[in-house]
Amino acid sequence: MANRNLDCHYGCPVEATLDVLGGKWKGIILFHLLNEKRRFNEFRRLIPDITQRILTLALRELERDGIVERTIYPEVPPRVEYEFTEFGKTLKPIITLMRDWGAEYRKALIKTRQIAA
């Protein structure tokens, strides 16, 4: 009989985590927020393959989920910065582990010559 605590049906913790971090771009956005606040155009430079629309949508979703906060400064032109919320900061170890795992995975692929160095 399956352990019900490991069942992953609607509402399980893994599903909730993947809902917040899911997709190609959210993890990358959060990675770039690990050490400092970022402005929208900084993300565009750091992640050149992301479209403006997708970046906007991802940031809005992360803000809606309470992971990122957006601060608008009353300047001309307005300056907008994004940073982790206090709750969002709890994801930092997860993002760091994902980075570390990805680096090891790339090394393993390079060793087996499945990808170019």
Side-chain angles (χ1 to χ4, degrees), residues 15-30:
E15 184 178 356
T17 303
L18 290 175
D19 188 43
V20 172
L21 297 180
K24 180 176 182 177
W25 302 110
K26 288 181 185 177
I28 298 168
I29 291 167
L30 295 175

Side-chain angles (χ1 to χ4, degrees), residues 58-74:
L59 287 167
R60 284 183 187 161
E61 289 175 10
L62 290 166
E63 186 179 7
R64 179 201 66 210
D65 292 337
I67 305 303
V68 168
E69 65 184 346
R70 179 175 164 237
T71 304
I72 304 170
Y73 295 92

Side-chain angles (χ1 to χ4, degrees), residues 98-116:
M98 288 171 63
R99 178 202 61 205
D100 296 345
W101 186 89
E104 290 300 316
Y105 180 69
R106 283 188 55 81
K107 284 181 197 174
L109 289 178
I110 289 168
K111 280 183 182 176
T112 61
R113 292 186 167 89
Q114 292 181 12
I115 64 170

Side-chain angles (χ1 to χ4, degrees), residues 43-59:
F43 285 120
R44 297 285 313 271
R45 283 189 297 276
L46 292 166
I47 315 168
D49 292 337
I50 195 170
T51 65
Q52 183 170 332
R53 179 179 177 278
I54 296 300
L55 177 58
T56 299
L57 289 173
L59 287 167

